[in-house]
Amino acid sequence: MGEIERRLADLGLTLPPAMPMLPGVRLPFSLVLRQGSRLLFSGHGPQAPDGGIHPMRGKLGAELGVEDGYEAARQVALSVLGSIQREIGSLDRITRWVKVLGLVNSTPTFCAQPAVINGFSDLILSLWGPERGAHVRSAVGMAQLPFNIPVEVEGELEIDGD
């Protein structure tokens, strides 16, 4: 078990398994793409512990509040880390988080998207620290997200070249 996996365990967190494909859904793209030392990850939503879509659904500013969104974004971080771990093995290979784009399923008047996406950023920073975990970020509201999930995140990071 690597350093990051130990930190996750110390926090009582586990990474979900790969999400099973939903009937009638086709995803003709990679969840994680390696390009030299760059690692890009496609948009991920929150997953349940069994790997399925997390039961928390809805729009921030209507069915869900900021605290719900923060927790959903934290769950998205676990989903992303699970996909990355399946691609590269040890999460210790991540040398730098670079960019995060957070999409929040929001009502037109909801304006706390940054506070919601802090759930993702705060977990990354707690695991990698301020040097390796710091990243640039955007947090934007969307009229709707797939499957009515509350949060989706995509991004880029650097890994060691081995």
Side-chain angles (χ1 to χ4, degrees):
M1 181 183 291
E3 173 189 344
I4 300 301
E5 286 84 357
R6 268 193 295 280
R7 288 181 186 164
L8 282 164
D10 289 347
L11 293 170
L13 300 173
T14 57
L15 302 181
M19 184 176 287
M21 193 53 61
L22 298 171
V25 174
R26 191 172 77 84
L27 303 176
F29 56 87
S30 299
L31 290 177
V32 178
L33 178 66
R34 291 172 62 173
Q35 188 69 33
S37 64
R38 291 176 65 202
L39 191 86
L40 297 108
F41 59 91
S42 295
H44 281 63
Q47 287 182 260
D50 69 357
I53 296 176
H54 198 280
M56 185 189 309
R57 307 279 178 83
K59 201 170 284 290
L60 278 288
E63 300 88 4
L64 303 172
V66 173
E67 299 81 16
D68 299 316
Y70 182 96
E71 180 56 30
R74 191 172 158 89
Q75 294 300 317
V76 172
L78 296 174
S79 177
V80 166
L81 295 177
S83 291
I84 292 170
Q85 185 182 56
R86 286 186 291 279
E87 176 67 24
I88 67 170
S90 174
L91 295 173
D92 291 344
R93 293 190 58 202
I94 297 172
T95 58
R96 176 80 183 177
W97 284 81
V98 177
K99 181 173 177 42
V100 169
L101 171 60
L103 311 171
V104 180
N105 187 359
S106 308
T107 64
T109 58
F110 184 81
C111 296
Q113 289 86 357
V116 168
I117 300 303
N118 283 349
F120 185 97
S121 295
D122 288 347
L123 182 56
I124 297 307
L125 287 164
S126 72
L127 294 170
W128 275 271
E131 294 247 339
R132 292 174 29 203
H135 49 272
V136 299
R137 188 188 89 178
S138 296
V140 297
M142 305 303 285
Q144 190 62 49
L145 290 174
F147 312 109
N148 202 28
I149 61 174
V151 177
E152 182 174 334
V153 177
E154 67 176 55
E156 180 178 349
L157 44 94
E158 293 179 353
I159 59 173
D160 65 30
D162 296 340

